[in-house]
Amino acid sequence: MRQGAQGSAGTGTPWAAARAAAEPAGPARVPPQAAEVRGEHTHGEPAAPGAPRVRPVIQRASVRGQILDALRAALVAGDLLPGEVYSAPVLGERFGVSATPVREAMQQLALEGAVEVVPNRGFRVVERGVRDLAELAEVRALLEVPVMLRLARTVPAERWAELRPLAEATVRAASSGCRATYAESDRGFHRAVLSLSGNVQLVRIAEDLHRRAQWPLVGGGHGVRARADLLADAHEHTALLDALVARDLDVVRALVGEHFAGAGAGSA
């Protein structure tokens, strides 16, 4: 394990955001009057006969989910490098949590194919090449293009207009130049479009494929896209909405085909 891969996190990074979210808040103080109104009892007062015993709520799943989101963002941003091995205890120090929720989040990433387990060492970020990205783009196109063409024939213009803020949000995210921010916004737009099909399984599978397509390539090839490339990709969303509103199937087919062709070459 190279020391550079385990370096400390700075503010404004996925590490800092997850650490702040995972830190437990201090105990809330309840005024006696409010306690009486809710039927609560203070220390030293016996509980009412037959009253259920109050147990603290442990939000372990919430912490694990926050860590998982931060790790996914770190993958897309290039903070977790392909081929590098990361240990749960070291990552736990970055997040300010124990190794357990980090290990559980990494195991979920292993199920998704983003990392692989290295016994007694940690988790290695999977190394992928351009061919892997092209294959994912092909599968996404086979899945999504027919659905979008069908939706173009059936969904009324006013429903497409409701997605305009999401398309514009991808442009703003692209303007930031942050790959992780754009990746999340990009998935949100595609998820909203496919959700109009009413097929929950389709949306889940498409989202998984989309997330995999956003992981970095070996050598950082996927992580060096310029802000202009992100903006060009985002503007395809607004152009697609215009074509969907107009029910111009030829333009829809061409735009979606170009979008996924770009994905195979390293776009979102």
Side-chain angles (χ1 to χ4, degrees):
M1 184 185 309
R2 293 203 294 268
Q3 184 63 30
Q6 305 284 1
S8 60
T11 58
T13 65
W15 319 114
R19 179 166 188 160
E23 288 178 351
R29 300 184 61 184
V30 180
Q33 297 84 351
E36 292 174 1
V37 171
R38 297 204 303 263
E40 299 177 358
H41 67 281
T42 59
H43 292 290
E45 296 179 345
R53 183 178 179 182
V54 178
R55 297 180 181 274
V57 178
I58 306 300
Q59 296 182 335
R60 177 175 170 181
S62 176
V63 173
R64 182 175 64 245
Q66 292 163 10
I67 299 299
L68 178 59
D69 289 343
L71 288 172
R72 284 171 170 166
L75 268 174
V76 175
D79 295 331
L80 295 179
L81 302 176
E84 293 285 355
V85 177
Y86 298 87
S87 71
V90 172
L91 290 176
E93 291 179 4
R94 293 190 181 188
F95 291 127
V97 299
S98 70
T100 299
V102 176
R103 187 175 294 110
E104 292 173 345
M106 278 294 206
Q107 289 170 345
Q108 175 60 37
L109 289 178
L111 292 176
E112 296 175 4
V115 301
E116 56 189 11
V117 178
V118 181
N120 303 319
R121 292 186 60 195
F123 301 85
R124 177 184 290 112
V125 179
V126 171
E127 299 179 274
R128 303 183 317 145
V130 175
R131 179 181 178 86
D132 298 299
L133 199 61
E135 290 177 351
L136 281 168
E138 181 180 6
V139 175
R140 288 182 64 202
L142 290 171
L143 186 67
E144 295 188 37
V145 172
V147 175
M148 288 191 184
L149 290 174
R150 174 168 60 84
L151 293 176
R153 299 185 184 96
T154 58
V155 174
E158 56 268 23
R159 292 297 304 278
W160 293 122
E162 294 172 1
L163 302 188
R164 183 73 60 179
L166 291 177
E168 294 171 348
T170 67
V171 176
R172 292 193 299 272
S175 298
S176 73
C178 175
R179 278 194 51 78
T181 300
Y182 178 71
E184 183 176 355
S185 181
D186 183 31
R187 289 197 311 275
F189 174 78
H190 282 263
R191 180 170 58 248
V193 171
L194 295 178
S195 293
L196 294 177
S197 69
N199 189 326
V200 176
Q201 299 304 320
L202 167 70
V203 175
R204 289 177 179 173
I205 293 172
E207 173 120 0
D208 178 64
L209 292 170
H210 196 167
R211 192 186 301 279
R212 290 169 182 256
Q214 293 171 332
W215 297 337
L217 297 180
V218 175
H222 193 180
V224 297
R225 291 179 65 206
R227 174 174 169 273
D229 296 326
L230 296 180
L231 280 169
D233 193 76
H235 282 301
E236 289 179 358
H237 295 149
T238 56
L240 175 61
L241 273 186
D242 291 338
L244 289 168
V245 169
R247 291 195 173 181
D248 192 330
L249 300 186
D250 291 335
V251 175
V252 170
R253 184 181 293 104
L255 283 172
V256 176
E258 291 174 3
H259 197 65
F260 285 115
S267 299

